Amino acid sequence: MKVVKYKWEEVSGPINDRPIESNASMLKLNHLEPGKYQFKLTVTDSDGATNSTLANVTAIKETDYRPTANAGSDVVINLPENSVTLYGNASTDDKGIVSYEWTKSSDDHLVADMMGVRSPVLKISNLEVGNYKFTLKVTDTGGQNATADVHVFVKPEVNQPPIAVTAGEITVVLPVASLVLDGQNSTDDKNIETYSWTQTSGPQLTVSNSDRNIATATGDIKVAVYMFKLTVHDIQKQSNSANLKITVAQKENKAPVADAGGDKVIQLPKLIVLLDGSRSYDDQKIVRYQWTRDSSSLAAGEIANNSNSEAVLQLINLIAGRYIFTLHVFDTDGLSSSDSASIIVKPVFLQLDALPNDNHSESVVDAFYVALTQGPEGTGNDHDRIKNIESQLGLLLHMTSEEDAYVLSEKVYKDFNSGHLKIEFYAVSVTKETKVVKKGIDVLRWLKPKLSSQTNIFEYSIVDLNTFVCQNNCSGHGKCDQYTKQCFCEAFWMQNFIRTKFFHGENNCDWSILYVVIVCFLIVVGLAGFVWLTCCIWKRRLWRWRTRKRPKYSLLSQNDNAKENFKMLTKTRLKAKTGTPASDSDLSSEDTLFVNHKSHNGQIWPKNGINQHIRPNMLT
């Protein structure tokens, strides 16, 4: 049997609009009114039999607590700030707050604009000086309410005077064009409305931008103490002042540095020659220039436009020779310094145009140069020195070749990259009818050995001798650099440095790197074999020295009790007992051994610290 029907009925309880009934096995009760309820359950099985029972339910009314209002903390503001926001959203209730209401107390007789009086947040504006009281009223779902008060204190505006700030005391060093007056660090709680700079002491200067936070004082600034005063005003005309002390000192004056522009070499004809001394400088100012001619200088030539008192000296009508001028510069304190510059004026030399036209096209290719170190200046004429070099080179060339030849210099200049003096030459071969420029590569081949063996024929040291246009074919395995005259070898080729360093040969690419590697490898292997063979011979000799014939006698033990147990046997008898054949040297009657007959387990007493094991039957 099983229950096939359930029926719930409300027997008694508080009055309801609808009675509580259900045909489910479980009765669910919702939204009950407080009070006592009685329910009847009737069940019917499959045979139609029924049974009933009662259930009692008591509904207790839920407790509803009053809300708690929170209007926030009191607020204090100062005009001109005249608005504030109050927050009541910190109010709480166990069921929930359904309404907010803000009101202003009428006792203060003050006015204000309020927005959001029915919301948790109240915005108040246009407040006046005084004490405001606002009340927040909150209501919960049960109609219960609570209130809270908050005060807003509005105070009159408070203005602090501004604060003027300057650098205090500073020191500047002459020369200086102006003095900077800095007051930009001045402050105020509102805003600084005006600035005013005035000079209170010191030599009078002109103050520019005196109504700004940064001003400038200009004028005749000299060594002195200058006092300035800064006054600032805010929007309510409150003011404050600060002083600025500027001490102007004189820097230690240094003598000026004269620069005459350096030495010059010019070729006639030249209309005007300039010596530039404008690169002279001083820590203050150069006020005067003075050019003078040196006593060892030629007296020819004229100074144009009275330029001897200018920074740039102008010279005209110069003739061949050496001129020396000294520049004197003076500063404001009368300190001075000087610098000299020389001008070497060269005459018009014989040019290549004098040569036949058929050889002139190849003259550049056949030109060569001599690079010299610049020695100390002598008293002679530089033109004579160059002529001397020409004659010396021509003499060497005549000694090395069968033809009559002379050397002709084309130009002289200073190489700024190396700092050496370079002289460009041509070697001219003279016959009865023609003059032919000799090939530069042949001239080098003749002159280099002579110059390397006779280094003292010139008053200057020769640094380099080479052609201007590189004519070296680099052994057919590279290219010659026109500037450095060095060979840049192709891959797997390198320079024969033995030929270059020891036999005065030209740059080349004679050696194959592959052959050089093979030769170096063979040399290393040969050296290693030689070292190994030397070590072997030395070790063999050392072994022979260590294996010399040792003495045939050994010291016996010093134990007196064991002496009676020893007897002398010849080495021949001992070897006969052991079965070892005796050699011719062992048959000597003088060779004996001292043997101990007393043994311990086959071990005799040690000889010289060495234990020897001998069979016992050998000692009988």
Side-chain angles (χ1 to χ4, degrees), residues 128-414:
E128 299 176 352
V129 177
N131 297 332
Y132 289 82
K133 177 182 178 183
F134 295 90
T135 302
L136 171 63
K137 179 181 180 182
V138 295
T139 305
D140 64 4
T141 55
Q144 303 179 94
N145 55 60
T147 60
D149 297 331
V150 60
H151 294 83
V152 177
F153 301 96
V154 182
K155 295 185 177 182
E157 182 178 3
V158 177
N159 181 31
Q160 299 293 334
I163 301 175
V165 178
T166 65
E169 295 185 10
I170 59 175
T171 300
V172 297
V173 179
L174 291 177
V176 63
S178 61
L179 302 178
V180 178
L181 314 178
D182 188 357
Q184 61 182 347
N185 292 326
S186 302
T187 59
D188 183 61
D189 57 343
K190 302 300 179 182
N191 190 24
I192 295 179
E193 188 175 36
T194 62
Y195 294 84
S196 177
W197 286 97
T198 56
Q199 183 178 355
T200 58
S201 66
Q204 190 61 38
L205 299 177
T206 301
V207 180
S208 303
N209 300 324
S210 60
D211 57 345
R212 299 183 182 180
N213 54 1
I214 297 179
T216 305
T218 57
D220 185 14
I221 301 176
K222 57 185 68 175
V223 176
V225 176
Y226 297 85
M227 294 294 297
F228 298 90
K229 181 179 180 181
L230 171 63
T231 303
V232 294
H233 296 81
D234 63 6
I235 56 178
Q236 293 188 352
K237 305 305 179 183
Q238 298 190 73
S239 64
N240 185 253
S241 299
N243 294 322
L244 174 62
K245 179 181 179 181
I246 301 179
T247 302
V248 179
Q250 176 65 56
K251 182 180 180 181
E252 181 183 358
N253 186 26
K254 296 182 180 179
V257 178
D259 186 348
D263 299 338
K264 292 180 177 292
V265 177
I266 63 172
Q267 184 84 41
L268 290 179
K270 193 77 171 178
L271 181 61
I272 187 170
V273 178
L274 304 179
L275 285 179
D276 189 0
S278 60
R279 288 180 295 182
S280 304
Y281 61 92
D282 184 57
D283 55 348
Q284 295 186 18
K285 183 181 180 181
I286 295 178
V287 296
R288 185 162 64 92
Y289 296 85
Q290 184 65 47
W291 292 91
T292 58
R293 190 191 300 262
D294 192 86
S295 59
S296 61
S297 172
L298 287 179
E302 300 177 8
I303 297 176
N305 302 324
N306 294 322
S307 58
N308 58 335
S309 58
E310 303 292 335
V312 180
L313 178 66
Q314 304 174 20
L315 300 173
I316 57 175
N317 299 329
L318 297 179
I319 63 174
R322 186 166 183 257
Y323 301 82
I324 302 176
F325 289 88
T326 301
L327 170 64
H328 299 271
V329 293
F330 302 86
D331 64 6
T332 55
D333 290 344
L335 298 179
S336 65
S337 68
S338 61
D339 184 37
S340 298
S342 64
I343 304 175
I344 299 175
V345 181
K346 299 174 58 176
V348 180
F349 291 155
L350 178 63
Q351 302 296 320
L352 287 177
D353 296 338
L355 299 176
N357 292 332
D358 55 347
N359 295 325
H360 184 59
S361 60
E362 299 179 358
S363 61
V364 176
V365 178
D366 295 325
F368 65 95
Y369 66 88
V370 177
L372 307 173
T373 57
Q374 299 190 57
E377 297 183 355
T379 58
N381 193 293
D382 284 347
H383 174 60
D384 297 335
R385 296 183 182 181
I386 296 175
K387 288 298 183 182
N388 181 40
I389 294 175
E390 290 180 358
S391 61
Q392 293 288 350
L393 290 176
L395 180 61
L396 290 177
L397 195 60
H398 178 72
M399 295 171 59
T400 54
S401 63
E402 298 178 356
E403 302 176 352
D404 291 334
Y406 67 91
V407 174
L408 180 65
S409 63
E410 175 68 10
K411 59 182 177 180
V412 180
Y413 60 94
K414 181 178 179 180

Side-chain angles (χ1 to χ4, degrees), residues 485-613:
K485 309 299 185 296
Q486 301 293 323
C487 284
F488 290 91
C489 300
E490 298 174 353
F492 304 107
W493 290 92
M494 63 180 293
Q495 181 176 219
N496 180 357
F497 62 88
I498 297 179
R499 173 185 167 190
T500 304
K501 298 296 183 182
F502 301 103
F503 297 99
H504 307 288
E506 61 185 6
N507 279 274
N508 57 80
C509 297
D510 288 348
W511 284 356
S512 171
I513 294 179
L514 178 61
Y515 293 156
V516 171
V517 171
I518 294 175
V519 171
C520 292
F521 176 75
L522 294 177
I523 292 175
V524 171
V525 172
L527 290 175
F530 176 76
V531 172
W532 177 80
L533 181 61
T534 303
C535 293
C536 290
I537 295 174
W538 176 253
K539 288 177 63 177
R540 187 175 181 84
R541 289 191 175 187
L542 183 63
W543 179 80
R544 287 183 178 179
W545 177 78
R546 288 183 176 179
T547 55
R548 290 180 182 176
K549 189 173 182 181
R550 297 181 179 179
K552 299 181 180 180
Y553 301 97
S554 300
L555 294 177
L556 297 177
S557 174
Q558 298 299 324
N559 189 354
D560 295 338
N561 296 329
K563 288 183 179 180
E564 58 183 3
N565 296 322
F566 287 89
K567 70 176 182 177
M568 284 198 303
L569 296 178
T570 64
K571 187 180 294 187
T572 305
R573 292 177 58 189
L574 180 60
K575 291 191 175 183
K577 290 179 176 293
T578 58
T580 305
S583 62
D584 294 337
S585 61
D586 296 333
L587 297 177
S588 174
S589 60
E590 297 177 357
D591 297 336
T592 60
L593 292 175
F594 294 93
V595 181
N596 187 358
H597 287 277
K598 187 176 180 180
S599 61
H600 301 277
N601 296 327
Q603 181 177 8
I604 66 174
W605 293 99
K607 293 182 179 181
N608 296 334
I610 301 175
N611 291 332
Q612 298 185 5
H613 296 272

Side-chain angles (χ1 to χ4, degrees), residues 401-530:
S401 63
E402 298 178 356
E403 302 176 352
D404 291 334
Y406 67 91
V407 174
L408 180 65
S409 63
E410 175 68 10
K411 59 182 177 180
V412 180
Y413 60 94
K414 181 178 179 180
D415 188 353
F416 291 100
N417 293 325
S418 62
H420 299 144
L421 182 67
K422 282 192 175 182
I423 307 176
E424 183 178 346
F425 291 98
Y426 294 89
V428 182
S429 176
V430 181
T431 62
K432 292 182 178 180
E433 299 179 355
T434 60
K435 296 180 180 180
V436 180
V437 177
K438 301 179 73 65
K439 291 186 177 297
I441 193 68
D442 295 335
V443 174
L444 290 183
R445 187 168 57 253
W446 294 330
L447 288 181
K448 273 192 173 181
K450 288 292 183 180
L451 291 177
S452 62
S453 60
Q454 303 180 23
T455 58
N456 57 349
I457 62 175
F458 299 107
E459 58 180 317
Y460 300 136
S461 299
I462 296 180
V463 178
D464 189 18
L465 174 66
N466 215 325
T467 58
F468 269 95
V469 179
C470 185
Q471 303 179 32
N472 189 353
N473 65 350
C474 298
S475 308
H477 302 296
K479 294 183 180 180
C480 182
D481 184 82
Q482 295 298 330
Y483 179 75
T484 62
K485 309 299 185 296
Q486 301 293 323
C487 284
F488 290 91
C489 300
E490 298 174 353
F492 304 107
W493 290 92
M494 63 180 293
Q495 181 176 219
N496 180 357
F497 62 88
I498 297 179
R499 173 185 167 190
T500 304
K501 298 296 183 182
F502 301 103
F503 297 99
H504 307 288
E506 61 185 6
N507 279 274
N508 57 80
C509 297
D510 288 348
W511 284 356
S512 171
I513 294 179
L514 178 61
Y515 293 156
V516 171
V517 171
I518 294 175
V519 171
C520 292
F521 176 75
L522 294 177
I523 292 175
V524 171
V525 172
L527 290 175
F530 176 76

